[in-house]
Amino acid sequence: MRYLGIDYGDKKIGLALGDDEVKVAVPLDVVRHEGERTAILLAELVKRERVDAVVVGVPLSAGEAPPSEQEKKTLAFIDALRLLISVPVYEEDERYTSSESSRIKREHGSNVSEDALAATMILQAFFDR
């Protein structure tokens, strides 16, 4: 099955593709957040790329803390996306992926966007679990 990994942000959205047979995720792209149109644009991408499932990173709050504003926005995006596509949408804890993608970029001199790296890490964590 072909998977799309999404690192959802207020300004940019990182994307990654992967396959569950080889269980490897690779960076795909970064797209601008376009408000309510964002879910529509990504639903079109899911169809165009023949994606079988989507994995969205969710910035889960630690412990008993109430959901953060970003967590609420991400969950609202997931709800909107689920209404537009017929493939499963999974949620994956994305805590620390942004800082980890920054570290990888800095230490390895990668020219891949931090957002696409974060999406790759989200999808890879899903595969590894």
Side-chain angles (χ1 to χ4, degrees), residues 38-98:
T38 302
I40 295 167
L41 295 171
L42 292 177
E44 291 169 357
L45 176 71
V46 165
K47 291 173 187 151
R48 186 172 60 249
E49 293 291 330
R50 294 187 175 109
V51 169
D52 299 302
V54 176
V55 179
V56 181
V58 179
L60 300 174
S61 301
E64 301 285 324
S68 68
E69 283 305 308
Q70 190 60 39
E71 183 178 353
K72 290 177 188 174
K73 290 177 189 177
T74 303
L75 293 173
F77 163 76
I78 290 170
D79 288 342
L81 187 60
R82 282 183 172 138
L83 293 173
L84 297 170
I85 61 176
S86 60
V87 301
V89 178
Y90 301 102
E91 299 171 18
E92 182 68 30
D93 184 0
E94 73 156 24
R95 284 179 288 182
Y96 314 114
T97 56
S98 293

Side-chain angles (χ1 to χ4, degrees), residues 7 93-102 114 118 121-122:
D7 177 43
D93 184 0
E94 73 156 24
R95 284 179 288 182
Y96 314 114
T97 56
S98 293
S99 60
E100 184 66 9
S101 64
S102 294
E114 288 177 20
M121 293 168 61
I122 291 163

